[in-house]
Amino acid sequence: MSGTRGNASTVKPTVLFVCVHNAGRSQMAAGYLTALSDGGVDVLSAGSEPKSQINPVAIQAMAEDGIDIAGNVPKILTTDAVKESDVVITMGCGDVCPIFPGKRYEDWELDDPAGQGIEAVRPIRDEIKARIQKLLAEILPSAA
């Protein structure tokens, strides 16, 4: 994996989460991976058409699980972000993400939390958490 180099014997993988607005699913995924990897993974998130702020219901759902994403800011997807990532996970916008050889790409089909209440967002959050735990076991076996 390319990732960020610490000392000569360690390489941190970089994971990029991409959705259209970078305000819900990708932010929740980034929040979980940041928290659950305990610094072992560099985490990025971006959107093809980012909103101006994080979805407040996504913030609420994550806070219920002890993760604060309220200070995050949606960002535009850049080619550089994809180039520097080892794993690129798209959530409903895979066709806008540039493809580079040697990278792992996944598309996670998840409902969009935009415009939904907390009761609808909790199962999305829980599905994201389960997928993050599986991903973490694959890219950082020592963390599992």
Side-chain angles (χ1 to χ4, degrees), residues 107-119:
D107 185 51
W108 290 359
E109 289 189 30
L110 297 160
D111 290 337
D112 189 345
Q116 300 199 51
I118 190 68
E119 294 299 326

Side-chain angles (χ1 to χ4, degrees), residues 51-70:
K51 291 284 191 186
S52 60
Q53 64 184 24
I54 305 300
N55 178 334
V57 181
I59 292 170
Q60 178 186 353
M62 293 299 286
E64 289 177 354
D65 205 19
I67 297 176
D68 182 8
I69 62 169

